[in-house]
Amino acid sequence: MALLNRMSELLKANLNDLLDQAEDPVRMVRQVIRQLDDEIVVLRGQLQAAEARVVRRRGRLDESTATQGMWTRRAEEAVDAGDDTAGRQALKARRTCEEESKGLEAAWWEARQERDAIAKRLLELENQAQAARRKKESLLLRRRGDEPSSSFIPVRPPQDDMATAREIDHELERLKQERKK
């Protein structure tokens, strides 16, 4: 995870420098986009695995909680039957389950935090990939002589891919029409 964070920060910090120094800035941006897309694929797999861990650990925690209830009922039944020895054994077993549940709950919270960190990182990479794609389009427009009216390209949060594609197409058409005027 730390390696991905460092790599991302390096990509962000040096993207414009690389573009300025590159022989073909569009080719460099395409390479950055490919790298980001590869990282996104890896993180999506990690996110699915992390989500599965959360579900498994929650299931184990629920099972342990149910087992505690069972041992509590057995202890009550033993006491009602006048069997103190069986009651003590049931209470010991319940305490063991309580201790196990504490560990399972900690593991469940840890899995949730890991999942959330991966999801946050995935969102950051998707935003970076979108920004790189917009930069590529801007460079392509400059190459064709259709310089965009502003050098500022805002970074938007990820949206539906089809909606984003339509927005980009609409924006390109608007830029072309502005250039013709």
Side-chain angles (χ1 to χ4, degrees), residues 99-146:
E99 291 172 12
E100 180 182 313
S101 289
K102 288 178 185 177
L104 290 171
E105 186 172 8
W108 175 61
W109 277 104
E110 181 182 309
R112 287 182 60 191
Q113 290 174 336
E114 179 186 352
R115 178 203 57 199
D116 294 346
I118 292 170
K120 181 180 177 184
R121 181 71 188 121
L122 179 60
L123 182 62
E124 290 171 359
L125 281 178
E126 287 172 341
N127 283 337
Q128 290 174 9
Q130 281 185 349
R133 284 183 179 90
R134 284 192 295 278
K135 184 70 170 179
K136 180 186 81 171
E137 291 301 320
S138 172
L139 290 169
L140 288 172
L141 287 173
R142 285 185 197 149
R143 181 182 282 174
R144 288 182 285 207
D146 295 337

Side-chain angles (χ1 to χ4, degrees), residues 39-51:
E39 286 183 55
I40 287 170
V41 168
V42 169
L43 277 179
R44 283 183 181 154
Q46 289 177 356
L47 183 60
Q48 288 175 345
E51 184 62 37

Side-chain angles (χ1 to χ4, degrees), residues 50-64 101 103-114:
E51 184 62 37
R53 278 190 298 276
V54 168
V55 170
R56 277 193 313 272
R57 289 179 182 175
R58 183 62 207 199
R60 289 183 197 147
L61 178 60
D62 292 344
E63 287 174 13
S64 180
S101 289
L104 290 171
E105 186 172 8
W108 175 61
W109 277 104
E110 181 182 309
R112 287 182 60 191
Q113 290 174 336
E114 179 186 352

Side-chain angles (χ1 to χ4, degrees), residues 1 4 22 61 90 143 153 155 161 167:
M1 184 61 89
L4 290 176
L61 178 60
R143 181 182 282 174
I153 301 174
V155 175
D161 289 337
E167 289 176 6

